[in-house]
Amino acid sequence: MPSTPADVLDFWFDSATEALWFARSDAFDARIRERFGDTLTAARRGDLDDWAQTPDGWLALLIVRDQFSRNLYRNDARAWSDDQATQAIALEGMARGLDLGLSPLQRVFAYLPLEHAESTDLQKHCVRLFEGLAASQPAATRSRFDDFLDYARHHHDVIERFGRFPHRNAVLGRTDTPAEQAYMASPGAGF
């Protein structure tokens, strides 16, 4: 039976999954591949575009295309090959206000496709979105959203400086500039 938006959201926002969102885990990647590999393939073909009619469906589609692609295609150009199409889906949904129908934590994943863009304009837009999201949080949860904002700013700064993400260069067959080589040799470089 094909996955539904609810299947994706229930899996992604489960507390056990949350601990693995930004960590590298071969076991977690294998779970996603087994459960949602066909869903990602269908999403990339456009077979799931109708999911974008509701806030939850739109978010599930973005998670499949943006997050699952990074889990399933680590160190492979396919991890980023669908980014522009996914960013277009994200922007179109935001223009319709779909992000405003999501919880604050869900909105993080609606905005992440823009954080992954190798575009200064999209990076600036992303930072503004995360600034607004963080500013709207009560004191009790504000620090977590400030962390998301810090990551958005860091991504923006890398694109502002290099026009691309140097950590993708080797996989994409791009030659590093001397400045990118120096950056990648520094502690904490890349994502």
Side-chain angles (χ1 to χ4, degrees):
M1 176 179 245
S3 297
T4 66
D7 294 332
V8 172
L9 297 181
D10 289 347
F11 171 81
W12 194 250
F13 291 101
D14 179 85
S15 59
T17 301
E18 186 175 337
L20 299 169
W21 282 344
F22 304 111
R24 181 183 182 110
S25 167
D26 292 338
F28 183 54
D29 293 351
R31 280 178 53 210
I32 293 173
R33 182 173 292 104
E34 181 180 319
R35 186 155 177 203
F36 298 107
D38 291 341
T39 305
L40 175 59
T41 300
R44 287 182 158 202
R45 279 193 314 255
D47 296 351
L48 307 180
D49 287 354
D50 63 324
W51 285 15
Q53 298 308 307
T54 66
D56 285 351
W58 173 70
L59 176 63
L61 183 61
L62 293 176
I63 289 169
V64 168
R65 293 176 71 122
D66 186 64
Q67 297 299 307
F68 290 178
S69 65
R70 282 155 171 76
N71 289 95
L72 297 186
Y73 300 125
R74 288 189 193 275
N75 301 314
D76 184 312
R78 291 176 292 177
W80 311 291
S81 65
D82 204 39
D83 279 3
Q84 288 184 335
T86 303
Q87 290 151 12
I89 292 167
L91 290 167
E92 192 275 331
M94 285 178 230
R96 293 176 33 223
L98 295 179
D99 56 318
L100 303 178
L102 303 173
S103 73
L105 187 58
Q106 290 175 324
R107 286 170 64 188
V108 168
F109 290 94
Y111 301 156
L112 280 180
L114 304 186
E115 189 171 305
H116 295 146
E118 289 188 324
S119 159
T120 304
D121 290 340
L122 291 181
Q123 287 291 331
K124 287 178 183 176
H125 185 48
C126 180
V127 168
R128 286 190 301 270
L129 291 166
F130 275 105
E131 285 172 343
L133 184 59
S136 70
Q137 299 310 301
T141 59
R142 175 71 189 253
S143 67
R144 183 173 195 194
F145 289 88
D146 283 341
D147 288 343
F148 291 129
L149 173 57
D150 287 343
Y151 276 100
R153 287 178 173 151
H154 184 60
H155 282 74
H156 167 272
D157 293 348
V158 170
I159 295 301
E160 184 79 15
R161 183 174 172 192
F162 301 111
R164 60 189 187 173
F165 291 116
H167 68 278
R168 297 180 184 177
N169 287 351
V171 173
L172 294 176
R174 302 187 303 207
T175 303
D176 291 335
T177 67
E180 289 172 336
Q181 289 173 349
Y183 165 73
M184 290 303 293
S186 65
F191 301 102

